[in-house]
């Protein structure tokens, strides 16, 4: 039997790869839909236009009240793959309650456990118009869940860029990331809320 020609073999390989990609997208979409949605404070922006499309880069961060102590942080060298962060509800948002080396330990701290790294850094409380006192020292929790950007079409990216342009690392947080925490503990971005408007990722 004559072996298939090179173009046929190339098409066959491309078909297998395409089916694998579709399967991955379907599995990720199902995991995202079945996960528990949490709302996390975010700030910062870095809108760009690259070959991969438009995206807005962000940082998950939570400013603690003045004089409030930091919860337990991740161990040195911890990664998103092997570290865990405990989350608890605080109004409409979820906030970090501490970090742990195992899922079971994280669930003893709060009801939601997600793979990630939690660090605490010193900073200053943002000044508001009319404040006369010197800014107070505060602690800021930085949360790394392996997600830090949202991909959008050009029109959406430009609108969000204008909304986020006024943000800076010392500003009051006015935006949230919507994150699905799957059964596997992995965080998957669902969408964002900026200026009270929710934008969902619906192109998976």
């Amino acid at each position: 039997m004559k072996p298939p020609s090179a173009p046929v073999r190339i098409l066959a390989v491309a078909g297998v790869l395409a089916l694998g990609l579709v399967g991955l997208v379907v599995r990720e979409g199902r995991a995202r839909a079945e996960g528990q949605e949490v709302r996390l404070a975010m700030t910062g922006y870095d809108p760009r236009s690259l070959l991969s499309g438009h995206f807005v880069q962000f940082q998950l961060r939570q400013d603690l009240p003045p004089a409030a102590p930091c919860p337990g942080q991740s161990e040195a060298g911890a990664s998103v793959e092997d570290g865990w962060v405990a989350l608890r509800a605080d109004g409409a948002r979820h906030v970090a309650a501490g970090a742990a080396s195992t899922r079971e330990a994280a669930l003893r701290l709060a009801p939601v456990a997600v793979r990630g790294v939690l660090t605490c850094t010193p900073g200053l409380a943002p000044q508001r118009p009319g404040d006369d006192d010197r800014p107070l020292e505060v602690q800021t929790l930085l949360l790394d869940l392996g997600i830090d950007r949202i991909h959008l079409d050009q029109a959406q990216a430009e609108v969000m860029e204008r909304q986020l342009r006024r943000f800076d690392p010392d500003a009051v947080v006015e935006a949230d990331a919507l994150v699905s925490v799957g059964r596997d503990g992995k965080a998957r971005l669902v969408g964002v809320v900026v200026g009270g408007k929710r934008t969902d990722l619906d192109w998976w």
Side-chain angles (χ1 to χ4, degrees):
M1 181 176 178
K2 184 178 179 180
S5 62
V8 173
R9 292 197 300 269
I10 292 174
L11 288 175
V13 172
V16 171
L17 293 176
L19 287 175
L21 179 59
V22 170
L24 175 63
V25 171
V26 171
R27 288 194 299 273
E28 284 293 297
R30 183 180 297 115
R32 184 175 289 101
E34 294 175 349
Q36 178 179 352
E37 185 175 300
V38 298
R39 183 168 170 167
L40 302 170
M42 75 174 192
T43 189
Y45 83 103
D46 185 13
R48 303 178 186 180
S49 175
L50 301 176
L51 293 177
S52 60
H54 293 257
F55 68 84
V56 176
Q57 190 168 0
F58 59 85
Q59 183 180 58
L60 300 176
R61 52 180 285 154
Q62 170 194 340
D63 292 325
L64 298 178
C70 288
Q73 303 180 62
S74 299
E75 299 177 355
S79 70
V80 174
E81 287 73 26
D82 58 27
W84 291 87
V85 176
L87 302 175
R88 62 175 177 81
D90 183 18
R93 288 174 173 158
H94 274 70
V95 296
S101 58
T102 66
R103 184 174 195 166
E104 292 72 19
L107 288 174
R108 288 196 289 269
L109 299 175
V112 181
V114 59
R115 293 186 180 275
V117 177
L118 179 66
T119 56
C120 193
T121 61
L124 298 176
Q127 289 287 87
R128 295 177 173 83
D131 287 350
D132 296 325
D133 298 332
R134 291 185 304 173
L136 298 174
E137 292 186 1
V138 296
Q139 301 290 337
T140 297
L141 298 181
L142 301 179
L143 189 57
D144 180 6
L145 303 183
I147 51 176
D148 65 356
R149 65 192 61 194
I150 175 174
H151 288 261
L152 305 164
D153 63 39
Q154 182 173 350
Q156 288 178 312
E158 290 175 351
V159 170
M160 190 167 294
E161 175 186 353
R162 290 193 294 270
Q163 292 173 320
L164 290 173
R165 187 179 294 279
R166 64 184 182 277
F167 294 168
D168 63 67
D170 296 320
V172 177
V173 174
E174 300 180 40
D176 298 305
L178 303 173
V179 176
S180 172
V181 180
R183 297 177 182 177
D184 55 1
K186 181 179 178 180
R188 296 173 174 88
L189 188 63
V190 174
V192 296
V193 178
V194 178
K197 180 181 179 181
R198 174 170 175 151
T199 301
D200 289 306
L201 302 180
D202 55 5
W203 46 265
W204 302 100

